[in-house]
């Protein structure tokens, strides 16, 4: 890998960010790969050359969020697919003159994970809006499920699916849709309800309903797939009231699944040969293909993935065990440990739009640099609870350590540090469970362009940060995945290769000592503990299955008691 390539010799926040767009495009015979990149806030289509994967054309569109209630987040599936088609059309018009649409050999798809769509298999129309991954409406559904497992253990199914029982994952969203949306309930009863993550919805439309598939990376985020067998698990299906006929077929991440048959799409006739959840695509885009290599994507949330090779590790410290990739039907599966930070860039947006002490989220570096420290201010941005390693849906955000001398600049710097501390929380768990002692952290995502954030991360975690100059390697990773599929054969991942010429890094070295790191991290942990148990709810009066069984037994029990009493009374006579 190109560790240190085009990077300064020492850690520095004065690193000039060098974009790769001005690098020379390969003039080999034209064989292009396209990628549909469907994220939480945008949809895009990018076109890459092979074998060096230079992005030569791209187009992106904003993807609006619908928030019918606080904490509820939805998107219109029809808008998603229409935006996909539009992005493809525009991106192809942006191809340089020496390229044309016919040079496209295959396409890959990468998508936001856990976001769930239900649709009618007869009409092809959505039965409800897509429920987005960070939606928390299923909190009560979680309680219902926990009431049915021994000791209400949220990790009860973790040995099967690698995941805790949490509103985050698709199974709870499907269960909520069945319980609360009459159109979904009716379609399920009539066996015409199809469900899937966004990749399944896109492929269903691209192939006019002939393919209902997903890949192992997306399936591993549903809480319905067994991570050992890579098949839908009957116990999990029964727990969440999901039937097999609703679900897509699980495939590998890299194979020719079929071709685009929808005449509405300019991609008609082109093979679909790669599917990856967006964070797994980013892992491949950072070339983290060896066990122990770890990346963090800094966006609205943060997603930290560590490649752990071909054996599962079931975390006891709040991490997720997920599928990193499976590069072909006969290829071995590669696993990853993952920790998710729910609020990273969202904290800066909150300071901008809600509290209004930050003109723009992009100004955070400038404002935070005006003070040398946070002045002992700590910001825990648990707006919707805390993810790994705490998994506390009752946690809520707080700012502590304020004094008469605290200013908005201290709070802004504390918001940046909160991203770094949450990342260290996850790294600490990965150290203990994977037995890999990390000295490097590969960074990407829009927020990683913030030099101060990268330096704070190096100082907070005590590791060297390698920032990819491909700020969003998601599409890049999906392009390589699609290109290496058998039958396409335009690329091959090689674990023995020492570096890839198309990946460049900026390097940030730690400047704090171990004692400083321990002292500040200890205060962060104390602040986190104070955020617990804020979201109290009155005890639910909803009829759980256990309560129903108890109440249902009362009339019979009472009848038996009265009958016995009458019998005894008659015997006395």
């Amino acid at each position: 890998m190109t560790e240190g390539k085009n990077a300064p010799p020492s850690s520095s926040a004065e690193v000039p960010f060098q974009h790769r767009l001005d690098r020379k495009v390969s003039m080999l015979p034209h064989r292009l790969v396209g990628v549909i990149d469907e994220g939480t806030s945008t949809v895009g289509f990018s076109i890459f050359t092979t074998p060096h994967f230079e992005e030569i054309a791209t187009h992106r569109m904003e993807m609006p969020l619908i928030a019918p209630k606080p904490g509820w987040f939805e998107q219109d599936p029809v808008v998603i697919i229409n935006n996909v088609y539009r992005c493809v059309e525009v991106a192809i018009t942006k191809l340089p003159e020496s390229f044309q649409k016919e040079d496209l050999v295959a396409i890959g798809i990468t998508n936001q994970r856990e976001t769930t769509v239900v649709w009618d298999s007869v009409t092809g129309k959505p039965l409800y809006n897509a429920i987005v991954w960070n939606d928390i409406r299923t909190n009560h559904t979680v309680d219902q499920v926990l009431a049915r497992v021994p000791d209400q253990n949220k990790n009860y199914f973790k040995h099967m699916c690698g995941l805790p029982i949490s509103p985050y994952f698709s199974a709870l969203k499907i269960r909520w849709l069945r319980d609360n949306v009459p159109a979904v309930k009716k379609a399920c009863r009539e066996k015409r309800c199809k469900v899937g993550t966004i990749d399944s919805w896109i492929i269903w439309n691209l192939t006019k309903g002939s393919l209902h598939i997903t890949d192992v990376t997306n399936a591993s985020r549903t809480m319905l797939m067994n991570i050992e067998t890579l098949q839908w698990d009957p116990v999990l299906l029964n727990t969440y009231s999901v039937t097999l006929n609703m679900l897509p077929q699980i495939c590998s991440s890299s194979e020719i699944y079929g071709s685009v048959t929808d005449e509405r799409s300019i991609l008609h006739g082109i093979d679909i040969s790669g599917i990856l959840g967006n964070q797994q695509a980013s892992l491949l885009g950072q070339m983290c293909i060896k066990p122990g290599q770890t990346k963090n994507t800094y966006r609205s949330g943060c997603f930290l993935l560590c490649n752990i090779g071909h054996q599962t590790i079931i975390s006891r410290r709040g991490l997720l065990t997920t599928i990193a990739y499976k590069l072909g039907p006969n290829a071995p599966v590669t696993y990853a440990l993952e920790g998710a930070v729910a609020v990273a860039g969202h904290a800066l947006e909150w300071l901008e739009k809600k509290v209004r002490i930050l003109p723009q989220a992009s100004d955070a570096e400038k404002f935070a640099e005006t003070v040398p420290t946070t002045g002992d201010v700590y910001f825990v941005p648990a707006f919707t609870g805390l993810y790994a390693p705490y998994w506390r849906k009752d946690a809520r955000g707080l700012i502590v350590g304020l004094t008469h001398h605290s200013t908005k600049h201290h709070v802004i710097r504390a918001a940046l540090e909160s991203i770094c501390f949450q990342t260290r929380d996850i790294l600490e768990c990965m150290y203990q469970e994977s037995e890999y002692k990390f000295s490097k952290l590969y960074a990407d995502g829009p927020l990683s362009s913030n030099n101060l954030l990268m330096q704070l991360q190096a100082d907070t975690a005590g590791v060297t940060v390698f920032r990819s100059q491909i700020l969003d390697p998601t599409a890049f990773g999906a392009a390589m995945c699609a290109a290496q599929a058998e039958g396409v054969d335009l690329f091959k991942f090689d674990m023995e290769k020492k570096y890839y010429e198309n990946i460049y890094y900026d390097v940030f070295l730690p400047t704090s000592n171990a004692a400083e790191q321990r002292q500040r991290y200890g205060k962060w942990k104390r602040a986190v503990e104070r955020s617990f148990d804020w979201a109290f709810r009155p005890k639910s009066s909803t009829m759980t299955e256990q309560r129903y069984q108890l109440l249902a037994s009362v009339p019979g029990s009472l009848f038996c008691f009265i009958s016995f009493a009458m019998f005894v009374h008659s015997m006395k006579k």
Side-chain angles (χ1 to χ4, degrees):
M1 297 189 62
T2 57
E3 296 160 357
K5 190 170 182 179
N6 280 13
S10 62
S11 176
S12 171
E14 299 114 23
V15 178
F17 192 82
Q18 176 187 354
H19 291 282
R20 64 196 286 271
L21 298 178
D22 55 354
R23 300 189 188 122
K24 189 175 180 181
V25 174
S26 170
M27 296 309 294
L28 293 171
H30 302 332
R31 304 195 74 187
L32 308 179
V33 174
V35 173
I36 295 169
D37 184 358
E38 192 281 330
T40 307
S41 56
T42 63
V43 175
F45 185 71
S46 299
I47 302 173
F48 295 84
T49 63
T50 60
H52 296 299
F53 295 95
E54 295 287 346
E55 186 182 82
I56 57 172
T58 187
H59 185 71
R60 304 197 72 82
M61 296 177 68
E62 294 294 319
M63 190 61 230
L65 277 175
I66 303 164
K69 293 183 182 180
W72 291 30
F73 299 104
E74 301 175 358
Q75 289 175 326
D76 186 339
V78 175
V79 173
I80 292 174
I81 194 63
N82 287 342
N83 284 359
V84 166
Y85 287 157
R86 180 61 181 158
C87 287
V88 170
E89 292 171 2
V90 176
I92 287 176
T93 66
K94 293 180 178 180
L95 282 171
E97 290 184 3
S98 56
F99 298 91
Q100 53 189 348
K101 190 210 85 169
E102 285 69 26
D103 295 325
L104 271 171
V105 175
I107 65 166
I109 296 168
T110 181
N111 57 284
Q112 56 174 313
R113 307 169 305 166
E114 298 93 24
T115 298
T116 305
V117 186
V118 286
W119 67 93
D120 189 316
S121 62
V122 177
T123 66
K125 294 181 179 179
L127 296 165
Y128 192 79
N129 281 337
I131 300 181
V132 180
W133 60 271
N134 57 349
D135 184 285
I136 60 171
R137 77 185 66 190
T138 58
N139 275 346
H140 180 59
T141 310
V142 169
D143 294 337
Q144 289 180 315
V145 173
L146 285 174
R148 299 178 60 186
V149 302
D151 302 321
Q152 296 193 4
N153 179 8
K154 64 185 176 184
N155 293 318
Y156 184 73
F157 298 116
K158 207 169 185 183
H159 68 287
M160 297 182 191
C161 61
L163 311 172
I165 300 170
S166 164
Y168 186 21
F169 306 109
S170 303
L172 275 302
K173 304 180 198 310
I174 299 170
R175 174 71 178 266
W176 185 92
L177 287 162
R178 285 197 67 154
D179 291 346
N180 295 277
V181 181
V184 175
K185 190 179 297 184
K186 185 172 185 287
C188 289
R189 191 166 57 246
E190 297 174 359
K191 297 185 177 179
R192 52 186 176 80
C193 179
K194 295 297 180 186
V195 64
T197 42
I198 299 293
D199 56 310
S200 298
W201 169 246
I202 291 172
I203 292 173
W204 174 278
N205 281 274
L206 288 177
T207 62
K208 298 173 67 174
S210 64
L211 286 179
H212 186 32
I213 61 172
T214 189
D215 89 302
V216 288
T217 67
N218 280 290
S220 71
R221 311 301 295 186
T222 61
M223 213 157 46
L224 296 171
M225 188 190 81
N226 187 300
I227 57 171
E228 296 285 354
T229 67
L230 307 185
Q231 299 297 322
W232 302 121
D233 191 285
V235 173
L236 297 171
L237 296 185
N238 181 62
T239 300
Y240 298 104
S241 303
V242 180
T243 55
L244 194 59
N245 66 294
M246 299 166 62
L247 294 166
Q249 176 189 349
I250 300 173
C251 302
S252 76
S253 306
S254 182
E255 60 182 279
I256 296 177
Y257 313 102
S259 60
V260 178
T261 56
D262 189 352
E263 296 85 359
R264 293 180 299 163
S265 174
I266 198 170
L267 298 174
H268 189 274
I270 296 175
D271 287 334
I272 306 168
S273 60
I275 309 170
L276 284 168
N278 56 6
Q279 297 310 317
Q280 284 89 339
S282 173
L283 188 75
L284 278 179
Q286 287 274 32
M287 303 308 300
C288 292
I289 57 176
K290 295 180 181 179
Q293 292 180 324
T294 305
K295 72 91 191 176
N296 193 16
T297 297
Y298 297 80
R299 310 180 69 93
S300 298
C302 282
F303 299 92
L304 200 72
L305 271 73
C306 172
N307 184 324
I308 57 172
H310 304 316
Q311 299 296 321
T312 60
I313 297 174
I314 302 301
S315 171
R316 291 173 294 179
R317 295 176 173 84
L319 300 181
L320 313 179
T321 306
T322 194
I323 307 297
Y325 49 82
K326 179 176 165 62
L327 298 176
N330 301 316
V333 63
T334 297
Y335 294 95
L337 280 177
E338 176 174 342
V341 173
V343 179
H346 276 316
L348 304 179
E349 293 168 12
W350 180 77
L351 293 176
E352 173 195 345
K353 296 176 181 177
K354 302 294 184 181
V355 187
R356 302 193 177 186
I357 64 173
L358 186 60
Q360 289 185 313
S362 57
D363 294 329
E365 181 175 5
K366 179 177 68 176
F367 278 73
E369 281 183 325
T370 62
V371 288
T373 70
T374 67
D376 230 19
V377 173
Y378 289 81
F379 182 175
V380 181
F383 300 147
T384 56
L386 289 169
Y387 286 0
Y390 308 103
W391 294 106
R392 295 293 297 254
K393 59 188 177 71
D394 58 0
R396 288 298 179 265
L398 56 80
I399 300 173
V400 296
L402 295 172
T403 69
H404 182 69
H405 303 290
S406 301
T407 68
K408 65 181 181 181
H409 303 96
H410 294 102
V411 174
I412 293 167
R413 191 177 181 105
L416 290 179
E417 284 199 349
S418 75
I419 299 169
C420 304
F421 281 125
Q422 290 177 94
T423 298
R424 174 165 175 173
D425 281 337
I426 296 167
L427 284 172
E428 290 286 319
C429 295
M430 288 181 172
Y431 290 159
Q432 297 170 42
E433 296 198 310
S434 69
E435 298 183 356
Y436 296 115
K437 190 66 178 176
F438 310 122
S439 59
K440 304 169 187 172
L441 176 65
Y442 296 95
D444 60 70
L447 274 183
S448 69
S449 63
N450 184 319
N451 288 323
L452 177 60
L453 176 65
M454 294 293 95
Q455 187 59 56
L456 290 172
Q457 185 65 83
D459 291 337
T460 301
V463 298
T464 303
V465 174
F466 285 79
R467 177 181 63 191
S468 171
Q469 291 188 2
I470 309 171
L471 277 187
D472 188 355
T474 304
F476 173 58
M480 290 189 291
C481 186
Q484 78 96 54
E486 184 177 351
V488 179
D489 302 316
L490 296 177
F491 176 75
K492 215 67 179 174
F493 287 99
D494 183 359
M495 289 181 64
E496 303 307 316
K497 197 167 184 177
K498 293 187 176 179
Y499 67 87
Y500 287 82
E501 293 180 356
N502 49 337
I503 305 180
Y504 291 71
Y505 294 99
D506 299 313
V507 179
F508 296 81
L509 300 172
T511 58
S512 60
N513 60 46
E516 291 171 334
Q517 293 163 13
R518 282 195 302 271
Q519 190 263 344
R520 300 218 62 233
Y521 186 57
K523 283 194 172 183
W524 161 259
K525 299 290 279 188
R526 286 164 55 195
V528 168
E529 288 173 7
R530 285 163 170 75
S531 75
F532 296 163
D533 294 320
W534 281 96
F536 286 117
R537 294 196 310 275
K539 290 185 178 180
S540 172
S541 61
T542 303
M543 184 70 70
T544 64
E545 184 173 330
Q546 287 80 357
R547 187 175 296 168
Y548 173 80
Q549 295 293 342
L550 179 62
L551 293 177
S553 69
V554 169
S557 302
L558 188 60
F559 174 80
C560 291
F561 177 80
I562 293 171
S563 299
F564 179 75
M566 291 175 66
F567 173 76
V568 171
H569 181 69
S570 66
M571 290 294 290
K572 287 181 178 179
K573 289 182 177 182

